[in-house]
């Protein structure tokens, strides 16, 4: 036999022995566990334990045998023969990857292995450990066989006869069969308790066996409904469909009361609506890119029992303003399963919109929304995703085309001020040397227009008429007129001002009050506006307007440096007007009424109110929870009927009204149970109304604080 074949045989024998050791150690333990399962849960439990034990034993044996590899064999060879010089691993290495020195050592080891072959490297048999495990397993099996059976089946088929003087009835067999709705695809389940969780819409069947047997039995629910149980041999059966969580009690007739007749609870697990997650697009508003012809959409949806249908609603919005038209279409989408183990519960939906076929144009919006429905019956749950918009931005507005000559590109009047006009003028004066004559005149004229607008604003407080377009010219003509005035000079401007008011100079009667008013009062002004200010303030404002007029005149003529002093003068007058319009209130201290000395020490309290009467107790709404909690806290019997009516009327404010009703029923049946009262109190605590705000009492001083106060009193007494 060659060396390689001998090494392979050594490894094979080692693996078989390692596997045999694991089987001999684990088999007795599995047998003992199966016997105990048979005693506790009968043959179904024993079968489950047997299958699970064999699978675990097989997995452990396989792992133990696979742990014997080339490295393990090399270590065992080195330990068995020192002549191998701890180089047995070279026998298993790739010759092409060995260095010349390693190849020389490998040849030496190979020659020594052939001259002195090793017969066995398998692990030794752990006789003591295997014997201990076998003895322990035999003891466990003997104990299980000698222990009385605890199997529910044996209990069910045992003797149900009870003594004639039995004082209570016992439910010795319980089968609670839950049949979930078909759309959930859940298998029916059987419970051996009276309380469980069931899917929404499930039909629950009861099969109960009583000892002793009653004449009649029924299930009384907390909402007042009942289910009468029918006799089926020795068992009593009944059935009901559950749409919401409920409490019930088993009621017997013609038999002693149940030894445990507390309320039982069946919790209904509601069918949740599908969850929808949007993968593409990432933003709710997407702008159409240049050259984009399609729009990719991707969604994921999941549901607890399964998704029935998914539809994509596509809306095309066209038009602007009030003339907007909508085109809507709905597409059914087919999804791909993301969970192969639970088909239909988690799916992904993809769709690509053809924008050309959709008919999108510039300025239009495409709105998409996914709706997913589950297979709930009779009414499915539907979840809709958020709306996502693809917008093709409209072209820039061209409403102002051809209007350049009609629209005056100037800052609105309410954005300008006299201080800003001064700043603009100072800047123009600083740059005057670098500007040409036309540019200087244009900028100066623009500032003059701003000065005119501001002058007209302040003129409204004096009742002056609007002078924005006296000749019907458009606003843009103001600057042209300013340039003409600049060419005409200061004299022409003064002449224009005199001609503007020439109809006030024709006074025929000297001393006539009406004529004087017509001459100096500008009778066609707004008289109501002229009465807003007192005469002194109006005089200051007139001076400001005159200074603005002079500044405007110089600005229109292209002489900003001469207009600057008048602008500053106008600003000073405006500040005076602003100060004069403010109202100052004197600071007044607290003035208490004089004390009536005649009533001192007389005891007359007429007209004097009690301090305590000003504090009105907070009104707390009538709360059944508060009254019951106080009674429980004071160890007094609470009004449980009133409390139960209050709980039923306020079920929406309670996090778990069924638990509260069950606690009330338990206290009602066991008034002396302190644990029942404490549980009811703890459930009532979150429902108590918030107490009214009150004054906190001062905390008593601690030891160091009392020592400090005593030291102060001693110091005061010594002083």
């Amino acid at each position: 036999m060659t060396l390689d074949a001998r090494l392979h045989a050594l490894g094979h024998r080692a693996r078989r022995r390692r596997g045999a050791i694991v089987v001999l150690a684990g088999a007795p333990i599995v047998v003992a566990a199966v016997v105990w399962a048979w005693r506790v849960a009968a043959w179904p439990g024993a079968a489950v334990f047997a299958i699970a034990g064999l699978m675990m034993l097989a997995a452990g044996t396989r792992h133990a045998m696979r742990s014997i590899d080339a490295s393990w064999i090399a270590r065992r060879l080195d330990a068995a023969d020192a002549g191998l010089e701890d180089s047995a691993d070279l026998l298993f290495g790739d010759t092409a990857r060995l260095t010349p020195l390693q190849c020389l050592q490998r040849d030496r080891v190979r020659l020594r292995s052939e001259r002195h072959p090793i017969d066995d490297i398998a692990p030794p048999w752990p006789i003591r450990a295997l014997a201990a495990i076998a003895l322990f397993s035999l003891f466990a099996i003997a104990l299980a066989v000698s222990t009385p059976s605890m199997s529910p089946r044996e209990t069910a088929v045992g003797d149900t006869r009870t003594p004639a003087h039995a004082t209570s009835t016992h439910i010795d067999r319980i089968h609670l069969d839950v049949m979930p709705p078909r759309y959930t695809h859940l298998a029916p389940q059987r419970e051996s308790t009276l309380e469980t969780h069931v899917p929404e819409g499930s039909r629950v069947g009861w099969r109960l066996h009583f000892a002793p047997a009653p004449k009649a039995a029924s299930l009384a629910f907390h909402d007042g409904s009942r289910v009468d149980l029918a006799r089926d041999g020795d068992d009593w059966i009944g059935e009901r469909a559950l749409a919401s969580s409920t409490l019930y009690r088993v009621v017997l007739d013609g038999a002693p009361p149940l030894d445990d007749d507390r309320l039982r609870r069946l919790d209904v697990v509601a069918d949740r609506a599908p969850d929808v997650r949007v993968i593409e697009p990432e933003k709710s508003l997407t702008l159409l890119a240049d050259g984009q012809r399609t729009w990719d959409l991707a969604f994921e949806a999941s549901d607890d029992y399964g998704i029935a249908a998914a539809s994509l609603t596509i809306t095309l919005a066209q038009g602007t303003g009030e003339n907007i038209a909508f085109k809507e279409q709905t597409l059914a989408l087919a999804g791909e399963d993301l969970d192969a183990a639970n088909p239909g519960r988690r799916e992904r939906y993809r769709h690509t919109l053809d924008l050309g076929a959709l008919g999108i144009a510039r300025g239009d919006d495409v709105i998409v929304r996914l709706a997913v429905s589950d297979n709930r019956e009779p009414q499915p749950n539907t979840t809709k995703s958020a709306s996502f918009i693809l917008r093709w931005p409209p072209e820039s507005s061209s409403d102002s085309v051809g209007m350049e000559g009609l629209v005056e590109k100037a800052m609105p009047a309410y954005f300008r001020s006299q201080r800003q006009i001064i700043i603009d003028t100072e800047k123009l004066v600083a740059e005057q040397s670098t500007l040409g004559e036309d540019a200087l005149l244009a900028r100066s004229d623009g500032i003059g227009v701003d000065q005119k607008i501001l002058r007209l604003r302040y003129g409204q407080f004096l009742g002056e008429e609007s002078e924005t377009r006296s000749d019907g010219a458009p606003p843009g003509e103001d600057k042209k007129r300013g340039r003409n005035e600049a060419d005409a000079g200061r004299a022409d401007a003064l002449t224009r001002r005199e001609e503007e008011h020439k109809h006030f100079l024709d006074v025929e009667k000297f001393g006539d009050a009406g004529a004087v008013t017509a001459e100096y009062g500008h009778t066609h002004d707004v008289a109501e506006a002229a009465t807003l200010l007192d005469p002194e303030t109006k005089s200051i404002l007139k001076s400001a307007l005159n200074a603005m007029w002079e500044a405007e005149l110089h600005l229109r003529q292209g002489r900003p440096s001469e207009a600057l002093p008048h602008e500053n003068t106008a600003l000073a007058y405006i500040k005076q007007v602003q100060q004069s319009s403010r109202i100052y209130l004197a600071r007044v201290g607290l003035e208490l009424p004089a004390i009536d000395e005649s009533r001192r020490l007389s005891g007359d309290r007429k007209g004097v109110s009690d301090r305590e009467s000003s504090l009105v107790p907070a009104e707390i709404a009538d709360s059944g929870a508060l009254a019951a909690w106080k009674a429980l806290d004071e160890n007094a019997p609470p009004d449980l009927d009133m409390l139960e009516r209050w709980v039923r009327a306020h079920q929406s404010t309670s996090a778990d009204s069924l638990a509260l009703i069950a606690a009330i029923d338990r206290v009602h049946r066991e008034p002396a149970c302190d644990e029942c009262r404490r549980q009811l109190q703890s459930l009532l605590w979150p429902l108590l109304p918030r107490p009214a705000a009150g004054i906190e009492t001062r905390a008593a001083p601690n030891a160091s604080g009392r020592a400090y106060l005593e030291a102060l009193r001693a110091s005061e007494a010594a002083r």
Side-chain angles (χ1 to χ4, degrees):
M1 182 182 294
T2 62
L3 179 60
D4 294 338
R6 190 185 309 115
L7 294 176
H8 179 73
L10 290 175
H12 183 65
R13 285 196 297 270
R15 293 187 185 92
R16 285 191 302 174
R17 183 172 297 179
R18 176 69 65 82
I21 292 173
V22 173
V23 171
L24 292 177
I29 299 176
V30 173
V31 173
V34 171
V35 172
W36 271 101
W38 172 72
R39 297 298 293 172
V40 174
W43 290 113
V48 172
F49 269 80
I51 295 173
L54 291 176
M55 293 178 62
M56 294 176 61
L57 186 59
T61 304
R62 182 172 180 270
H63 176 74
M65 295 178 65
R66 294 187 63 180
S67 64
I68 298 179
D69 52 6
S71 299
W72 187 91
I73 297 174
R75 290 194 301 270
R76 296 290 295 178
L77 291 173
D78 291 334
D81 188 359
L84 299 180
E85 299 177 350
D86 293 334
S87 301
D89 57 334
L90 297 176
L91 299 175
F92 303 94
D94 189 2
T95 308
R97 296 183 179 181
L98 298 179
T99 63
L101 182 60
Q102 290 175 334
C103 291
L104 179 61
Q105 180 68 7
R106 182 177 183 275
D107 295 339
R108 293 178 60 189
V109 172
R110 191 177 186 88
L111 181 60
R112 293 178 182 178
S113 298
E114 292 176 351
R115 289 179 180 178
H116 304 283
I118 300 174
D119 296 333
D120 189 16
I121 60 172
W125 291 96
I127 302 299
R128 293 183 178 179
L130 293 178
I133 294 175
L135 292 176
F136 174 78
S137 300
L138 290 175
F139 176 76
I141 293 173
L143 183 63
V145 172
S146 61
T147 302
S149 175
M150 293 178 290
S151 172
R153 178 179 179 85
E154 294 182 6
T155 303
V157 300
D159 188 7
T160 59
R161 292 174 297 177
T162 57
H165 59 275
T167 59
S168 64
T169 301
H170 176 66
I171 305 177
D172 53 9
R173 184 171 62 246
I174 300 173
H175 285 164
L176 197 66
D177 297 321
V178 180
M179 180 65 69
R182 289 182 301 174
Y183 74 87
T184 62
H185 304 293
L186 298 177
Q189 58 183 359
R190 169 168 287 188
E191 303 289 345
S192 58
T193 63
L194 293 173
E195 297 180 308
T196 187
H197 292 73
V198 301
E200 181 184 9
S202 299
R203 295 199 67 85
V204 180
W206 288 266
R207 178 175 287 272
L208 308 177
H209 186 273
F210 304 100
K215 294 182 179 179
S218 61
L219 304 177
F221 292 85
H222 80 284
D223 58 358
S225 60
R226 298 177 69 93
V227 172
D228 294 329
L229 300 181
R231 190 73 177 261
D232 183 17
D234 292 338
D235 297 336
W236 296 82
I237 61 174
E239 189 180 63
R240 178 174 181 171
L242 296 181
S244 60
S245 300
T246 185
L247 296 172
Y248 72 100
R249 175 183 286 110
V250 180
V251 180
L252 303 179
D253 185 15
L258 287 173
D259 52 2
D260 186 4
D261 64 343
R262 68 178 186 273
L263 285 174
R264 309 291 179 163
R265 178 166 179 166
L266 293 175
D267 286 301
V268 173
V269 180
D271 186 353
R272 300 191 306 269
D275 295 329
V276 179
R277 186 170 68 92
V278 181
I279 302 176
E280 293 183 64
E282 298 180 353
K283 300 182 293 184
S284 59
L285 175 61
T286 305
L287 299 181
L288 185 68
D290 295 338
Q292 182 178 352
R293 297 292 182 267
T294 60
W295 192 23
D296 295 330
L297 306 173
F299 306 87
E300 281 189 7
S302 61
D303 188 69
D304 45 4
Y305 298 128
I307 298 173
S311 60
L312 183 67
T313 302
I314 306 170
T315 304
L316 177 62
Q318 296 178 313
T320 59
E322 298 181 356
N323 299 321
I324 298 180
F326 296 94
K327 296 180 181 178
E328 185 174 303
Q329 57 178 314
T330 302
L331 302 178
L333 299 183
E336 54 177 331
D337 280 322
L338 300 179
D339 188 358
N342 300 295
R345 294 193 178 184
R346 185 181 176 195
E347 297 190 354
R348 177 172 293 173
Y349 303 91
R350 296 184 181 275
H351 186 73
T352 301
L353 284 180
D354 186 353
L355 301 179
L358 196 61
I360 186 174
R362 183 174 292 277
D364 295 349
D365 289 349
V366 178
I367 308 166
V368 296
R369 191 177 189 182
L370 181 71
V372 179
S373 301
D374 62 6
N375 50 14
R376 179 175 179 267
E377 296 176 355
Q379 183 67 30
N381 294 318
T382 302
T383 301
K384 295 183 179 180
S385 68
S387 298
F388 291 83
I389 304 174
L390 176 65
R391 176 168 296 168
W392 191 347
E395 297 180 353
S396 301
S397 178
S398 58
D399 294 343
S400 60
V401 176
M403 301 290 292
E404 291 81 5
L406 300 179
V407 178
E408 181 180 3
K409 297 179 180 180
M411 187 176 294
Y414 49 82
F415 286 143
R416 310 294 292 180
S417 65
Q418 187 64 27
R419 190 179 301 277
Q420 184 64 43
I421 292 174
I422 294 174
I423 294 174
D424 294 341
T425 305
E426 291 176 347
K427 183 178 180 182
L428 179 59
V429 171
E431 298 174 358
Q432 184 173 358
S433 59
T434 61
L435 299 176
E437 183 178 354
D438 293 336
L440 174 63
L441 182 59
R443 288 183 57 180
S444 181
D445 182 67
I447 300 174
V449 172
D450 295 335
Q451 183 67 85
K452 174 185 176 182
I453 296 174
L454 188 62
R455 175 176 59 84
L456 293 177
R457 285 180 57 201
Y458 282 103
Q460 294 176 1
F461 293 98
L462 295 179
E464 296 182 356
E465 77 280 14
S466 175
E467 299 178 9
T468 53
R469 281 189 293 272
S470 58
D471 54 355
E477 295 298 325
D478 286 338
K479 295 185 178 181
K480 297 180 180 180
R481 185 182 298 111
R483 296 188 180 93
N484 295 333
E485 291 175 355
D487 295 337
R490 179 182 177 87
D492 294 338
L494 293 174
T495 302
R496 182 174 59 82
R497 185 179 179 186
E498 292 176 358
E499 291 177 355
E500 186 180 358
H501 298 80
K502 63 182 180 179
H503 57 283
F504 302 117
L505 300 179
D506 300 330
V507 181
E508 297 180 356
K509 296 182 180 180
F510 179 79
D512 189 352
V516 174
T517 302
E519 180 179 0
Y520 299 102
H522 224 167
T523 55
H524 56 276
D525 292 345
V526 181
E528 291 78 9
T531 61
L532 295 176
L533 303 176
D534 58 280
E536 182 178 359
T537 303
K538 287 196 292 184
S539 176
I540 298 174
L541 186 56
K542 287 181 180 179
S543 301
L545 295 179
N546 291 333
M548 290 181 185
W549 182 273
E550 295 296 332
E552 177 188 353
L553 181 62
H554 291 291
L555 290 171
R556 291 298 186 93
Q557 293 177 351
R559 296 196 294 269
S561 57
E562 297 181 9
L564 193 56
H566 300 287
E567 293 175 359
N568 290 320
T569 302
L571 179 61
Y573 285 131
I574 291 174
K575 292 299 181 183
Q576 294 183 26
V577 173
Q578 292 176 351
Q579 292 294 332
S580 63
S581 62
R582 296 178 182 176
I583 300 175
Y584 295 90
L585 298 178
R587 299 179 62 182
V588 180
L590 180 63
E591 296 183 2
L592 298 176
I595 299 176
D596 187 2
E597 298 289 345
S598 62
R599 296 178 56 183
R600 295 192 64 182
L601 304 177
S602 63
D604 184 6
R605 297 180 53 86
K606 183 179 180 180
V608 179
S609 60
D610 191 358
R611 289 186 177 182
E612 295 181 356
S613 63
S614 60
L615 298 178
V616 180
E619 294 183 0
I620 300 178
D622 184 19
S623 173
L626 179 59
W629 191 90
K630 287 182 177 180
L632 293 171
D633 189 57
E634 297 171 358
N635 202 19
D639 189 350
L640 297 178
D641 294 335
M642 182 273 295
L643 178 60
E644 185 172 355
R645 291 193 299 270
W646 184 88
V647 171
R648 293 181 183 275
H650 297 81
Q651 291 186 8
S652 59
T653 61
S654 175
D656 193 352
S657 60
L658 294 183
L660 195 55
I661 293 175
I664 296 173
D665 180 79
R666 189 177 177 188
V667 173
H668 184 76
R669 290 179 172 270
E670 303 178 33
C673 178
D674 294 335
E675 177 61 27
C676 305
R677 295 170 65 91
R678 284 194 296 269
Q679 182 184 7
L680 179 57
Q681 242 186 319
S682 64
L683 293 175
L684 289 174
W685 175 259
L687 303 179
L688 299 181
R690 287 183 175 271
I695 301 175
E696 296 183 359
T697 58
R698 179 178 297 177
N702 53 17
S704 59
R706 290 194 298 270
Y708 175 74
L709 295 177
E710 290 175 359
L712 286 180
R713 286 193 290 267
S715 176
E716 184 68 22
R719 189 180 306 172

